Amino acid sequence: METYKATLKHDTGKVTLTVVSLSGKQGAVQQITTAEGCPECAIVDIVKLANTAKQDEMKATTIEEAKIMAKDKSLEKQNKGKAIYIIYCNRTEYFYVDTDSLIRLWERLIGYYENGVYTAEKSHS
């Protein structure tokens, strides 16, 4: 998993986006063009950001480990009233704990903690 910072030029000016990609720089470019509905030439700059320890800290190999991490994070003072999501990634086969609820096609929301209370995602089968 790599994080990229991209600058796009729009008719109304420039915008900066941060994109997480499992498919390298080209995957990040594809995500941007799809999400923004723009041609590749609109991306005037894209740079890979250094992996942060935070990404590794918020990664778990089991659902039980992820639930413990999410519950602890939800009880932190700065996260009061925020949902802490548990997301499973089919590509990496890891569970990720995050305040960002963005779910990509290859990911599945497991549930979330808010103020120490767990809510499981309803099955959509």
Side-chain angles (χ1 to χ4, degrees):
M1 182 167 23
E2 299 169 328
T3 305
Y4 292 87
K5 187 173 186 178
T7 304
L8 278 72
K9 186 172 182 179
H10 283 283
D11 295 337
T12 57
K14 290 183 180 181
V15 64
T16 302
L17 303 171
T18 302
V19 180
V20 177
S21 173
L22 296 172
S23 306
K25 186 175 183 177
Q26 191 54 42
V29 168
Q30 185 178 8
Q31 286 180 38
I32 293 166
T33 57
T34 301
E36 293 293 314
C38 66
E40 230 177 276
C41 63
I43 303 171
V44 294
D45 187 35
I46 184 166
V47 293
K48 182 179 172 185
L49 302 176
N51 280 346
T52 64
K54 179 187 176 226
Q55 289 173 330
D56 288 334
E57 285 176 19
M58 304 311 291
K59 180 168 71 172
T61 55
T62 67
I63 183 64
E64 293 80 15
E65 183 183 2
K67 282 184 174 182
I68 291 167
M69 291 167 56
K71 184 174 184 178
D72 290 347
K73 189 116 181 109
S74 76
L75 293 172
E76 291 176 3
K77 189 174 183 176
Q78 71 267 24
N79 292 320
K80 185 175 181 172
K82 289 184 187 175
I84 308 297
Y85 299 95
I86 301 170
I87 299 167
Y88 179 73
C89 179
N90 294 319
R91 290 186 178 176
T92 64
E93 297 182 349
Y94 283 105
F95 294 89
Y96 293 91
V97 175
D98 202 340
T99 56
D100 184 357
S101 64
L102 175 67
I103 307 296
R104 295 156 190 91
L105 293 176
W106 55 88
E107 296 175 334
R108 181 171 44 99
L109 177 63
I110 303 299
Y112 63 93
Y113 275 90
E114 191 170 336
N115 299 327
V117 178
Y118 181 70
T119 303
E121 176 65 7
K122 295 176 182 76
S123 177
H124 297 294
S125 46

